[in-house]
């Protein structure tokens, strides 16, 4: 089947870039586990491939698939989400340029900007991107790149992509959205005006906690060419087997995200009614400050939520260590439920910065297990605190 943009999301997820192997009929595209390609005479490339750092058919198949899902012209797949972010920042910025980042974001993104790019001359400011006055103040000075995460990690703030893209473009900024938490099944930022989407493909795209990867997606041809050149020159490519695992995971993205959302909604509702929980951060709950924007730009609130415990740090740590089905682990987005204590785990690198996470907060990555089992697990762990 040939993919066309008119096909629905789930059809594109299964078929885009996933042609059966023409030489054998294998319905599943093969893994091209090779470092180089035979040439018919010098420069006589059979399929356009020369060496695995510059290109690999399995990686290319993934790139076509992700570009089709995000409705972008091009996608470039990297060895991790941070490798993708780093290549994008190197391609887009030069010394003296200023970056504005949301004040709640993945700690590693802040660390990359603060400890790698700031010492090279890039300037960084963090701003509450849900506060229009703060955004206006941030744009009083030139901004080269606006970095949006929505929903944010871990406090689940919702940033209005279309509104922020309009502000960014009015000031000549490149607008980047980290779409890791929502995945393209629930949110497609390029359609709301963003210039670039980045992913930690490690999370929902892969979906099975068995692969590390990252992707940059854009319809800006010059930027895509620059990112691709940087990848070729610096070498942070995604390996063929990891690319294949991602193409496989993505085929079920649509059904997984529906189930993640269904389970997370039930759990958020349960926890919101529990007096031991001071606050639930989940954009699918009616009282969430970004619920209206989420309803506009997302087709579901997703599988991530955080809770602040009334019993403070002690209770939060006890909950994180007290569940039996939710496994205590870094990362998110897999079929299995995970629980984490951000201030000492995923966000340990931002302790003492404007992005520090409150010490009574626990983050849940709600998996696709039976929701009654997950709810019982949390209820039991809360009882044991
Ligand atoms: N962006 C977000 C929102 C993340 O949660 C993460 C990792 O947790 C990353 C980027 C970095 O991705 P990776 O761990 O694949 O390098």
């Amino acid at each position: 089947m040939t993919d066309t943009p008119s096909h629905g999301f789930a059809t594109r997820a299964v078929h885009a870039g996933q042609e059966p192997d023409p030489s054998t009929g294998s319905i599943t595209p093969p893994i091209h586990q090779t470092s180089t390609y035979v040439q018919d005479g010098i420069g006589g490339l059979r399929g356009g491939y020369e060496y695995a750092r510059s290109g690999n058919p399995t990686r290319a198949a993934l790139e076509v698939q992700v570009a089709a899902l995000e409705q972008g012209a091009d996608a470039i797949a990297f060895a991790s989400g941070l490798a993708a972010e780093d290549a994008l920042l190197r391609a887009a910025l030069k010394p003296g340029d200023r970056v504005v980042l949301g004040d709640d974001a993945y700690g590693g993104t802040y660390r990359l900007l603060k400890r790698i790019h700031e010492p090279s001359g890039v300037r960084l400011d963090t701003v509450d991107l849900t506060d229009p006055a703060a955004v206006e103040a941030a744009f009083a000075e030139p901004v080269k790149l606006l970095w949006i995460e929505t929903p944010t990690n871990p406090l689940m703030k919702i940033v209005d992509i279309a509104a922020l893209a309009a502000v960014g473009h009015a000031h000549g900024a490149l607008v980047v959205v980290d779409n890791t938490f929502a995945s393209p099944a629930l949110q497609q930022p390029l359609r709301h005006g963003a210039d670039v989407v980045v992913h930690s493909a490690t999370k929902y795209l892969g979906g099975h906690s068995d692969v590390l990867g990252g992707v940059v997606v854009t319809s800006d041809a010059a930027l895509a060419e620059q990112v691709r050149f940087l990848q070729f020159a610096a070498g942070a490519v995604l390996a063929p087997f990891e690319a294949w695992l991602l193409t496989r995971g993505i085929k079920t993205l649509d059904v997984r995200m529906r189930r993640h959302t269904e389970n997370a909604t039930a759990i958020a509702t349960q926890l919101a009614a529990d007096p031991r929980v001071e606050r639930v951060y989940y954009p699918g709950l009616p009282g969430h400050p970004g619920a209206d924007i989420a309803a506009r730009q997302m087709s579901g609130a997703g599988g991530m939520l955080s809770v602040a415990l009334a019993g403070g740090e002690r209770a939060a740590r006890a909950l994180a260590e007290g569940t039996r089905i939710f496994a205590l682990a870094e990362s998110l987005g897999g079929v299995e439920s995970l629980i984490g204590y951000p201030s000492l785990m995923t966000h340990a690198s931002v302790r003492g910065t404007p992005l520090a996470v409150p010490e009574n907060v626990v983050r849940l990555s709600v998996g696709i297990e039976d929701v009654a089992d997950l709810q019982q697990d949390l209820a039991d762990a809360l009882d044991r605190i």
Side-chain angles (χ1 to χ4, degrees):
M1 191 200 87
T2 316
D3 170 67
T4 73
S6 65
H7 287 129
F9 183 87
T11 308
R12 281 179 277 138
V14 173
H15 292 287
Q18 307 302 304
E19 303 299 328
D21 178 35
S23 61
T24 62
S26 158
I27 187 84
T28 303
I31 307 172
H32 291 272
Q33 190 70 40
T34 188
S35 62
T36 193
Y37 306 85
V38 172
Q39 304 192 8
D40 295 321
I42 297 167
L45 306 179
R46 292 182 189 178
Y49 293 101
E50 185 178 42
Y51 183 61
R53 180 160 30 73
S54 54
N56 175 279
T58 315
R59 197 164 89 228
L62 168 69
E63 292 173 344
V64 169
Q65 191 185 26
V66 177
L69 297 188
E70 288 289 3
Q71 310 220 5
D74 209 350
I76 304 115
F78 287 83
S80 71
L82 280 175
E85 294 186 15
D86 184 52
L88 173 63
L89 293 171
R90 283 175 202 277
L93 300 173
K94 56 183 186 332
D97 286 343
R98 182 163 163 265
V99 175
V100 166
L101 169 71
D103 68 350
D104 184 53
Y106 172 57
T109 300
Y110 178 81
R111 179 179 56 206
L112 176 65
L113 280 160
K114 192 77 191 166
R115 300 199 34 202
I116 305 292
H117 289 271
E118 214 175 53
S120 307
V122 166
R123 291 177 303 135
L124 173 66
D125 283 307
T126 54
V127 172
D128 180 357
L129 297 179
T130 64
D131 175 356
V135 171
E136 198 185 313
F139 276 90
E141 264 185 78
V143 177
K144 186 66 196 282
L145 190 149
L146 172 62
W147 191 286
I148 298 171
E149 231 182 71
T150 182
T152 64
N153 182 359
L155 297 181
M156 306 301 295
K157 290 186 187 182
I158 297 295
V159 178
D160 188 332
I161 300 171
L164 270 280
V167 174
H169 291 155
H171 291 82
L174 187 75
V175 178
V176 178
V177 175
D178 182 335
N179 202 27
T180 299
F181 265 37
S183 93
L186 303 180
Q187 172 175 280
Q188 292 156 22
L190 300 181
R191 292 178 47 217
H192 298 287
D195 301 302
V196 188
V197 164
V198 296
H199 276 284
S200 170
T202 314
K203 311 298 179 341
Y204 287 109
L205 293 182
H208 295 73
S209 307
D210 53 9
V211 60
L212 193 70
V215 191
V216 172
V217 190
T218 184
S219 294
D220 178 334
L223 182 66
E225 189 184 331
Q226 182 62 10
V227 171
R228 212 173 267 288
F229 172 72
L230 260 155
Q231 180 186 64
F232 163 67
V237 295
L238 186 69
F241 183 55
E242 328 302 293
W244 185 85
L245 281 173
L246 287 173
T247 62
R248 184 177 191 270
I250 287 170
K251 289 173 189 173
T252 57
L253 180 65
D254 189 62
V255 282
R256 283 188 285 108
M257 292 313 293
R258 287 169 199 261
R259 175 67 167 228
H260 283 297
T261 302
E262 205 178 286
N263 282 1
T265 303
I267 287 171
T269 307
Q270 168 198 3
L271 295 175
D274 193 308
R276 294 162 295 188
V277 174
E278 184 182 282
R279 181 166 172 190
V280 177
Y281 304 86
Y282 185 63
L285 287 181
H288 187 284
D292 290 349
I293 300 166
R296 233 177 20 244
Q297 70 188 18
M298 302 177 78
S299 56
M304 296 300 298
L305 63 100
S306 293
V307 288
L309 275 291
E313 176 183 355
R314 195 200 57 78
R317 293 176 69 141
L319 176 64
E321 292 176 346
T323 51
R324 296 192 173 140
I325 298 177
F326 279 85
L328 178 63
E330 305 264 349
S331 204
L332 61 109
V335 290
E336 60 288 288
S337 294
L338 301 180
I339 191 163
Y341 183 63
S343 82
L344 289 178
M345 293 173 67
T346 48
H347 289 67
S349 67
V350 293
R351 281 172 78 84
T353 78
L355 278 76
V357 180
E359 289 177 338
N360 65 339
V361 166
V362 170
R363 191 186 77 178
L364 303 176
S365 171
V366 179
I368 63 167
E369 301 95 331
D370 288 296
V371 72
D373 294 331
L374 298 178
Q375 290 184 302
Q376 192 61 51
D377 189 34
L378 290 167
D380 292 345
L382 282 164
D383 286 345
R384 284 192 293 267
I385 285 176

